[in-house]
Amino acid sequence: WSYEREWRILISFSGHSGKKIEEIQDILPESINCIIFGLGMSEGDICEKCRAVRAQNEYAHVKFKRAIMHDADYSIVIEDIGDDFFLRG
């Protein structure tokens, strides 16, 4: 998959509440353009993480997506998450 120009980074936020991404992992903000949340994450956890990232101005450009199970054929689909998803309520 070298032609995709994609890097996958897994970061555990356990025990790092309130910290910025770069305090957990040495990553430049401009090197992240999308965060994809896994199939097993609850909507509440996704909303919490999206709000935490969006609260940091240097990550305002980051897009969010999540894995969901397709109803008909049980395949995994990656769908966009708009700001309205995690800013409501």
Side-chain angles (χ1 to χ4, degrees):
W1 291 333
S2 60
Y3 62 89
E4 290 184 2
R5 296 179 40 148
E6 174 181 304
W7 290 76
R8 296 178 188 195
I9 301 170
L10 304 176
I11 300 173
S12 172
F13 286 91
S14 296
H16 297 291
S17 181
K19 289 188 178 179
K20 291 185 172 190
I21 293 170
E22 62 269 18
E23 293 174 326
I24 300 169
Q25 185 71 35
D26 190 20
I27 300 173
L28 295 172
E30 60 269 17
S31 66
I32 300 174
N33 59 29
C34 180
I35 296 174
I36 302 174
F37 297 98
L39 187 62
M41 283 192 76
S42 71
E43 284 194 9
D45 285 345
I46 292 172
C47 288
E48 177 186 336
K49 303 303 183 217
C50 289
R51 285 186 199 115
V53 171
R54 192 60 85 229
Q56 301 173 55
N57 290 334
E58 60 270 33
Y59 295 100
H61 64 281
V62 173
K63 294 182 172 95
F64 302 107
K65 299 181 181 210
R66 68 177 178 164
I68 60 168
M69 185 72 68
H70 190 277
D71 291 333
D73 64 7
Y74 301 105
S75 63
I76 296 175
V77 177
I78 305 298
E79 77 172 9
D80 292 333
I81 297 175
D83 286 1
D84 59 323
F85 175 84
F86 58 89
L87 293 177
R88 64 181 179 220

